[in-house]
Amino acid sequence: MKKSSSLKMANKHIPSHIILGLWSILVLFPIWVMVVNSFKTRFTIYSNPFGLPEKWNFKNYISVFSDSDFMRYFMNSIVVVMISLICVLLLGSLVAYAMSIWRTRASTVLYFFIIAGMMLPIRIASIKLIEIMKSLGLLNTIWSLVPIYIAMGFPISVFIMTTFIRTVPGELTESAFIDGAGRFKIFYAIIVPLLRPAIATVAIYNLVPFWNDLWFPLIMITDEKSKTLLLGVTRLFGQYQTDWSKVLAVLTLSALPVIILYLTMSKNFIRGLTAGAIKG
Amino acid sequence: MANTNSRRIRGDSSLNPTWHYWMLYLLPGVIIYIVFMAYPLLDSIRLSFFTGTGAERTFTGLSNYVKLFTDEVISTRFWTAFGHTWIFFAIHMLVQNVLGIIFAVILTNRTMQGSRIYQTIIFLPVTLSILVTGYLWKLLLSPVWTGDILNSIGLGALSKPWLGQESTALIVVSLVSCWQWVGMPTMMFFAALQGISEELIEAAALEGTSTWDLFRYIQFPLIKPVVGVVAILTFVNNFNAFDVVFSMEGANGAPNYATDIIGTFFYRVGIAGQHPVAIPDAGLGAAVATVIFLMLAAFVIPTLIQSQKEG
């Protein structure tokens, strides 16, 4: 841009850089401490808590992987999150497609009934949900989480995708229709590929709360075999209480997948996670 | 042609399928939504008028509410948790949302360098699990770990059992939660500020308007609807908050219930079981849930109407 004037202007931003710089340190410092100390030993974290390890120690990670249920927790979380996400996207896009073409008073009522769910905190339904899961025989299994997550993500998914489909010009689908394509074919051959940006937004918006959810695993699951990653972390935190370097290795490992995803596509994450909030 | 078709169910190959056809698209999602969200939410309200579980459930009218508001132990706990939730909310409004506005205004300045990097960093904690954040800060704030180091660099005063003192525990827990979530309001305000026309800002700059006046008379009034939305979200999230207290202070809101908020209270009463009996009381829990529901409705609906009017 205007290089000459921006150089002069840049001086004026020193206070701004100080504020944001200090906050950045405050954000990054704990994460730094978490990561570097997970490579130290049980005792060196006390003598040197903030610097890089003098000798890199990988034993914490090896023991977390080998003698704990960490991998099982991790896999449980992956399965739950992936299946829930796929269902949310599939069911949400089907409804959004119907909502964009079927326009009657009944469909408007149904639409508002669905998106009202965006404002409802599902946690306050927990007591009833436990009973429902018990009667379905799903309590204490990872399958108790999947339908809850689908219901949680469904309203926002319908909202974002319906808004998006309605911007697709009607001629595009109608001409395919006149060429003899069925409604469903139009859906998967034309609408779904066009929906890709909206699908990405919905996926990210739901991925983070699904992966980071502690509440529902905590109230639904006590069986070691079925624990999700975060619920497992609460157990390992207690179990390794005397060895903080190991605790930090567990914390690092459980935060890592989302942090890596975030850093590779931070722009999408920021847009996706705030999208639900700015629905007006 | 259209006449003969309209008597039958029009489907996949029709230009105008009937609602029967659309049900194939709608029902799978809507059924899950009703069974696992709408119905349990509404039925929680019904359960608050009952006691016991399963087949032994009996109607008891308002007795759960009477217990919640008048029973000596339970009502004390409830009102304590209720008050703490408001403090928790106030700290988020004052720290998280004010910082969010400040950060957003700074980031909006087009001549500011490194804006994207700052955005990425500020938003980073949002993607962390609250549990991980809570555990991490719990370790960092422990005098056992960082006390010696702080002492040796002359900052020994910073090394206190912040989470163990009743006077500071709730504030510290709230601040950790602000640390985590400040990226949300920042980016929401940032998006709103970007929507303000460039000419308006430039015209004000030509007039020699100070940054503060620019913010007060131009930017803030224009982003007011978003301020309303952020306030609602903050409120809803506070009545949902649980993880941060659970990870840093446990489900009892230690020390001595100093960090007990509605979320942890609801968990103990309705799900885990409360000291000393440790048997969950589904009816009483449902009553707490209903109160939360009403609180949210009482705050959210007027604020929404208000911000719609102003927007």
Side-chain angles (χ1 to χ4, degrees), chain B residues 288-303:
Chain B
V288 178
T290 307
V291 171
I292 299 174
F293 185 69
L294 294 176
M295 283 291 303
L296 292 177
F299 186 86
V300 169
I301 293 167
T303 317

Side-chain angles (χ1 to χ4, degrees), chain A residues 13 45 123 131 183 262, chain B residues 15 33 57 111 120 145 240:
Chain A
H13 298 313
I45 68 163
R123 279 185 189 188
E131 281 182 19
R183 286 279 164 207
Y262 171 68
Chain B
L15 192 59
Y33 174 67
R57 181 162 276 151
T111 54
T120 306
W145 189 14
N240 266 325

Side-chain angles (χ1 to χ4, degrees), chain A residues 42-218:
Chain A
R42 189 172 163 181
F43 299 109
T44 49
I45 68 163
Y46 292 99
S47 52
N48 169 26
F50 303 136
L52 281 171
E54 281 145 30
K55 232 175 74 200
W56 291 76
N57 167 29
F58 295 92
K59 285 211 184 83
N60 296 321
Y61 287 94
I62 293 167
S63 80
V64 167
F65 280 121
S66 60
D67 59 52
S68 78
D69 294 320
F70 188 87
M71 279 317 283
R72 175 182 284 163
Y73 301 149
F74 196 85
M75 289 315 292
N76 281 341
S77 275
I78 298 240
V79 169
V80 168
V81 170
M82 291 310 288
I83 294 179
S84 306
L85 266 187
I86 290 168
C87 292
V88 163
L89 293 171
L90 184 70
L91 300 177
S93 57
L94 282 170
V95 170
Y97 177 56
M99 284 294 171
S100 65
I101 299 176
W102 180 50
R103 307 286 282 269
T104 63
R105 183 168 303 164
S107 74
T108 311
V109 171
L110 183 63
Y111 181 66
F112 280 105
F113 169 67
I114 293 170
I115 65 168
M118 291 194 296
M119 290 303 275
L120 296 174
I122 192 172
R123 279 185 189 188
I124 63 181
S126 299
I127 287 167
K128 186 66 195 178
L129 281 169
I130 294 176
E131 281 182 19
I132 293 174
M133 292 308 166
K134 202 186 255 170
S135 61
L136 292 175
L138 297 177
L139 208 63
N140 244 332
T141 70
I142 56 171
W143 307 110
S144 60
L145 303 172
V146 172
I148 296 177
Y149 292 164
I150 297 173
M152 254 166 75
F154 181 67
I156 189 78
S157 157
V158 169
F159 175 76
I160 291 176
M161 296 208 255
T162 305
T163 315
F164 194 89
I165 295 183
R166 284 182 180 168
T167 64
V168 173
E171 298 91 58
L172 208 63
T173 51
E174 291 316 314
S175 67
F177 187 78
I178 287 156
D179 289 345
R183 286 279 164 207
F184 189 69
K185 178 145 193 235
I186 293 175
F187 171 70
Y188 72 77
I190 298 178
I191 299 291
V192 170
L194 282 172
L195 260 179
R196 230 177 277 145
I199 288 175
T201 304
V202 173
I204 287 170
Y205 183 82
N206 288 310
L207 171 74
V208 174
F210 290 178
W211 182 266
N212 286 340
D213 183 44
L214 171 69
W215 177 264
F216 286 108
L218 183 68

